[in-house]
């Protein structure tokens, strides 16, 4: 009888110890500090074209970026003014869920410099043969800072009914100014289909620049007849940009060298997920 009682007590103790060793589902579990961190989401890439171009100029980059798993939006910039185009781009950014990388060409650089200011969704800025203006600067003044640009002399003016002036690049000068490194028939096609920018837009001064507070990348073509090489190098250095130089490339480098342009945009985007 005593043996049976003793065995019963031992069994009860064993059961209690076993129950204590198994954590209750109601009890909080200790965090596993060795678990891998959840990866950050890939940003959406918003591409902003410049003057004398349209969103289709980015077609090659769109294809390549999507192949790398990025969601891409090519904005149809109105080309009516830095502040108004910036507001348009900001509204587009605000409509996107999650982080954004803004990439721009030429005059589009002025646009994203304005659009991204104080916007926490914008994780990086990428400038492709573009303007990086500081407060009080405009696109035309920057092209005149150093010799080398033939932009001003290549423009054709069209007066609109409301008194505003649209600017086009003269079609016979377009290939040399913008697209000297692509086949001439393609350059002529681009010249015929160019979208104008207003004179007010290229003369409009910028406000506070977003590149002072957002990580910045800059791709510089060395044979640019629109924005002089020295001016682009000066702007990139001033912005402390991660810089890639494409020797021999012309202003429309995103048409002639889409792989290099895609690489720098992807580098900037990848940096936001590290």
């Amino acid at each position: 009888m005593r043996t049976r009682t003793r065995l019963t007590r031992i069994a009860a103790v064993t059961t209690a110890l076993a129950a204590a060793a198994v954590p209750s589902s109601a009890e909080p579990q200790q965090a596993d500090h060795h678990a891998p961190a959840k990866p950050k989401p890939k940003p959406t890439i918003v591409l902003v074209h410049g003057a004398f171009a349209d969103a289709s100029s980015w077609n090659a980059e769109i294809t390549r970026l999507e192949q790398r798993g990025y969601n891409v939006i090519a904005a149809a910039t109105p080309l009516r003014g830095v502040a108004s185009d910036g507001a348009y781009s900001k509204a587009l950014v605000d409509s996107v869920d999650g982080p954004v990388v803004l990439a721009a060409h030429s005059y589009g650089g002025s646009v994203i410099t304005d659009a991204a200011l104080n916007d926490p969704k914008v994780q990086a800025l990428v400038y492709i043969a573009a303007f990086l203006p500081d407060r009080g600067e405009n696109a035309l003044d920057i092209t005149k800072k150093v010799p080398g640009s033939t932009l001003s002399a290549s423009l054709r003016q069209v007066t609109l009914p409301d008194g505003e002036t649209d600017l086009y690049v003269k079609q016979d000068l377009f290939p040399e100014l913008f697209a000297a490194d692509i086949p001439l028939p393609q350059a002529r096609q681009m010249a015929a289909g160019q979208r104008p920018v207003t004179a007010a837009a290229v003369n409009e001064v910028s406000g506070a620049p977003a590149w002072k507070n957002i990580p910045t990348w800059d791709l510089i073509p060395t044979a640019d007849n629109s924005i002089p090489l020295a001016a682009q190098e000066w702007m990139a250095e001033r912005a402390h940009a991660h810089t890639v130089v494409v020797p021999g490339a012309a202003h429309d480098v995103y048409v002639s060298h889409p792989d290099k342009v895609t690489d720098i945009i992807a580098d900037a985007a990848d940096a936001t997920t590290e």
Side-chain angles (χ1 to χ4, degrees):
M1 190 70 176
R2 289 180 180 177
T3 301
R4 182 179 299 175
T5 302
R6 185 180 301 165
L7 289 175
T8 301
R9 289 175 179 172
I10 291 173
V13 170
T14 302
T15 302
L17 290 173
V22 178
S24 169
S25 59
E27 294 177 353
Q29 303 295 309
Q30 290 186 348
D32 183 359
H33 297 292
H34 299 288
K38 186 177 180 181
K40 294 181 181 179
K42 280 193 170 187
T44 296
I45 311 296
V46 176
L47 304 171
V48 178
H49 67 80
F52 320 116
D54 61 25
S56 68
S57 304
W58 294 105
N59 282 352
E61 285 79 9
I62 293 170
T63 299
R64 287 161 172 78
L65 288 166
E66 287 181 341
Q67 288 172 346
R68 298 191 189 195
Y70 290 100
N71 182 45
V72 185
I73 300 172
T77 311
L79 303 177
R80 301 292 89 185
V82 172
S84 61
D85 291 341
Y88 168 88
S89 296
K90 179 173 174 53
L92 183 59
V93 167
D94 289 344
S95 73
V96 174
D97 291 330
V100 168
V101 168
L102 277 172
H105 176 252
S106 194
Y107 163 80
S110 297
V111 174
I112 67 170
T113 295
D114 185 88
L117 185 66
N118 299 325
D119 192 333
K121 294 183 72 171
V122 180
Q123 302 294 299
L125 301 172
V126 186
Y127 294 83
I128 309 297
F131 294 101
L132 289 77
D134 202 344
R135 184 190 294 272
E137 296 175 345
N138 65 45
L140 282 186
D141 285 347
I142 290 174
T143 64
K144 298 173 184 177
K145 280 187 175 293
V146 294
S149 175
T150 59
L151 178 61
S152 296
S154 303
L155 297 176
R156 178 173 68 89
Q157 299 185 7
V158 175
T159 303
L160 302 179
D162 63 0
E164 181 60 90
T165 299
D166 265 352
L167 299 177
Y168 293 81
V169 175
K170 297 173 183 177
Q171 288 193 26
D172 59 328
L173 300 179
F174 189 99
E176 180 182 356
L177 181 67
F178 267 71
D181 60 348
I182 66 173
L184 185 58
Q186 184 182 2
R188 286 175 173 165
Q189 187 179 52
M190 291 165 61
Q194 63 182 288
R195 284 186 56 212
V197 65
T198 64
V202 295
N203 284 286
E204 183 178 344
V205 299
S206 292
W211 49 256
K212 286 191 175 181
N213 300 303
I214 299 175
T216 299
W217 280 254
D218 194 1
L219 184 142
I220 301 175
T222 63
D224 193 331
N225 292 323
S226 181
I227 308 176
L229 174 60
Q232 293 192 48
E233 291 174 334
W234 162 70
M235 288 186 288
E237 182 177 0
R238 179 177 66 177
H240 304 291
H242 305 276
T243 303
V244 172
V245 175
V246 184
H251 189 61
D252 270 347
V253 63
Y254 64 162
V255 177
S256 60
H257 293 79
D259 288 330
K260 292 188 180 297
V261 172
T262 299
D263 283 346
I264 192 172
I265 295 172
D267 286 347
D270 290 346
T272 70
T273 64
E274 293 177 352

